Amino acid sequence: MSDCIFSLSRNYIKKIIFIFSAFFFLPIVKAENITPIKIGAIFILSGEGSAWGINAQRGTILAVEEINSSGGIRGRPIEVIYEDEPGGSAVKAVEAYHKLTKIDKVKYILGPSWQDEVMAVAPLSKRDKVIVVGATYMPNPPENMFMVWMDAEIEADRIVDYVIDRFHKVAVLSSQQSWESLVAKRFKKSFESRGGKVAAFFEPLPSATDVKAEALKTKAASPDAIFISSYLLFSKYTRELRRLGVKAPFFSQELDQTAVDSSGKAAEGTIFIRPAQPDNDFLEKFRKRFGTDPDIPAAQSYDALYVLARALKSVGEDYGRLVEHFKNFPAYRGVCGTYRLQGGKTITDTELMVIKNGAIRKLKILN
């Protein structure tokens, strides 16, 4: 009898242990089996322009950590795989795209950093039905791409509004890089349509090491102001023009602290337009996480991932539904202001900045 009772007790204890173990360990097993949503990111992480890509990566990292700590996307964490496009190389961007889509099997990509690379990736991503969301710009992007960036031509119009009220004869210095050339041509067209005169217009190769000829001709044209739409040649233009004694004020578009630092005192007083600065909450979070202030496009890249996450949460991972979501993009309030579509173009808040004592300072908000 006692043996029977002991056997029953032992079996009962085993059942209790089994049930307890199943209850205790089941969540762990489930968590381990959750497949993350893989997202590729193509940023300039080395070479010229790497400050741009590193800021983009840091903004993305911050967004990933926040989204995952809040439960991910429909219960799934996100995993971002970063690939470099050294020096803003379109060839390297395409190589990175192939690696991400063929080896890592991603269906969503952030980036690339600059327009030339975006245009190189665009037809491939459309063919492969890969959703691309970038803190970057491309004119007339295909249906699978959404740009979390102010339309470059409308942004150029906004700075023309500021310049034309003060100066009527300008020189425009740019390069043959696609974005820089697009902005230069738009500025020229808009400025002239408002009654202004463009006395000189130059677009050397973006890899030019010497801009003395362009600077000399600009000086000879005697402009009242100079618009420089080249991030890549900004420091060369400003240094050479000031060396020649040209005192006309500089205006520009989309500069960061790296461009300012490389120009030294030559850039002092330059007024330029760029996306609005992030709110204080983002600034504090970024400083705490990385120990430094953010520069563009950190906040825009942070917003870009949230824009993609919102789409995935809203309509799921079906390609057609995602395309439709971005086609009818509902306005999104990010850390840099509100992003909205207007005639197929992304519109958001912009600010005029001024370089003062070697630092970038806010001058005026332009909406």
Side-chain angles (χ1 to χ4, degrees):
M1 181 70 176
S2 60
D3 290 342
C4 182
I5 293 172
F6 177 75
S7 177
L8 287 171
S9 299
R10 186 170 56 187
N11 289 336
Y12 180 75
I13 291 170
K14 284 182 178 179
K15 288 180 180 179
I16 293 296
I17 292 173
F18 175 79
I19 292 170
F20 176 78
S21 299
F23 176 79
F24 186 78
F25 291 109
L26 187 57
I28 297 175
V29 172
K30 282 186 176 180
E32 289 176 348
N33 288 337
I34 294 176
T35 304
I37 296 175
K38 289 185 178 182
I39 300 172
I42 304 174
F43 298 146
I44 303 172
L45 300 175
S46 64
E48 188 172 15
S50 60
W52 194 278
I54 290 169
N55 269 283
Q57 184 182 45
R58 287 175 173 175
T60 304
I61 289 170
L62 195 58
V64 169
E65 292 173 348
E66 290 180 1
I67 292 169
N68 283 343
S69 67
S70 299
I73 298 173
R74 296 189 173 192
R76 295 173 62 191
I78 55 177
E79 175 189 345
V80 177
I81 303 167
Y82 299 94
E83 291 296 328
D84 190 10
E85 44 169 336
S89 165
V91 172
K92 294 297 182 182
V94 169
E95 290 177 1
Y97 171 84
H98 285 312
K99 187 264 183 184
L100 288 169
T101 56
K102 293 181 179 180
I103 297 176
D104 299 310
K105 307 296 184 183
V106 305
K107 284 296 182 182
Y108 317 103
I109 286 180
L110 303 170
S113 294
W114 290 346
Q115 182 173 303
D116 282 355
E117 302 90 271
V118 178
M119 293 175 70
V121 165
L124 303 175
S125 63
K126 183 179 180 181
R127 177 198 66 193
D128 298 336
K129 295 186 176 181
V130 172
I131 297 293
V132 178
V133 178
T136 185
Y137 176 74
M138 173 184 170
N140 304 311
E143 64 178 12
N144 64 303
M145 303 183 85
F146 185 81
M147 306 290 101
V148 185
W149 199 264
M150 177 66 184
D151 182 86
E153 293 183 306
I154 295 176
E155 191 175 49
D157 290 342
R158 287 182 179 179
I159 195 166
V160 165
D161 290 341
Y162 184 85
V163 176
I164 195 69
D165 287 341
R166 294 159 177 80
F167 304 98
H168 294 281
K169 181 182 178 183
V170 302
V172 177
L173 305 180
S174 185
S175 84
Q176 294 176 33
Q177 195 264 359
S178 63
W179 182 89
E180 296 180 355
S181 178
L182 175 81
V183 169
K185 289 179 171 64
R186 179 64 176 220
F187 183 95
K188 181 178 184 293
K189 180 180 179 180
S190 183
F191 193 78
E192 290 176 336
S193 72
R194 301 279 298 277
K197 179 181 179 180
V198 176
F201 185 94
F202 299 108
E203 288 185 322
L205 291 171
S207 58
T209 58
D210 188 339
V211 294
K212 290 179 182 177
E214 290 82 3
L216 282 168
K217 292 176 183 177
T218 298
K219 181 180 180 180
S222 301
D224 300 323
I226 299 170
F227 179 69
I228 304 173
S229 72
S230 178
Y231 176 89
L232 296 169
L233 298 178
F234 180 77
S235 64
K236 292 182 176 66
Y237 278 135
T238 54
R239 286 178 179 275
E240 188 59 30
L241 287 164
R242 291 299 186 240
R243 188 188 70 81
L244 292 172
V246 176
K247 299 185 183 301
F250 296 144
F251 294 88
S252 192
Q253 189 162 330
E254 310 288 13
L255 298 178
D256 61 11
Q257 192 62 48
T258 299
V260 174
D261 292 343
S262 64
S263 302
K265 293 181 179 179
E268 190 70 13
T270 299
I271 293 173
F272 65 96
I273 191 170
R274 75 175 191 180
Q277 289 183 302
D279 58 35
N280 289 332
D281 181 56
F282 176 84
L283 289 173
E284 291 176 7
K285 290 188 294 188
F286 192 94
R287 288 166 182 157
K288 183 178 180 180
R289 178 65 174 82
F290 299 106
T292 187
D293 284 343
D295 208 338
I296 55 172
Q300 292 78 18
S301 299
Y302 172 94
D303 282 344
L305 182 52
Y306 267 101
V307 164
L308 176 58
R310 182 182 70 162
L312 291 168
K313 287 180 180 179
S314 176
V315 302
E317 298 186 63
D318 179 75
Y319 175 79
R321 295 184 68 189
L322 285 167
V323 167
E324 193 65 21
H325 172 87
F326 287 115
K327 181 181 178 181
N328 301 290
F329 183 74
Y332 176 76
R333 177 70 183 179
V335 298
C336 290
T338 300
Y339 302 90
R340 58 194 182 278
L341 278 183
Q342 180 178 306
K345 299 176 182 290
T346 303
I347 308 297
T348 189
D349 301 333
T350 52
E351 295 175 344
L352 278 183
M353 314 299 288
V354 61
I355 300 171
K356 188 174 182 179
N357 297 322
I360 296 172
R361 299 284 183 260
K362 185 189 297 186
L363 182 66
K364 185 179 181 181
I365 297 175
L366 297 176
N367 294 321

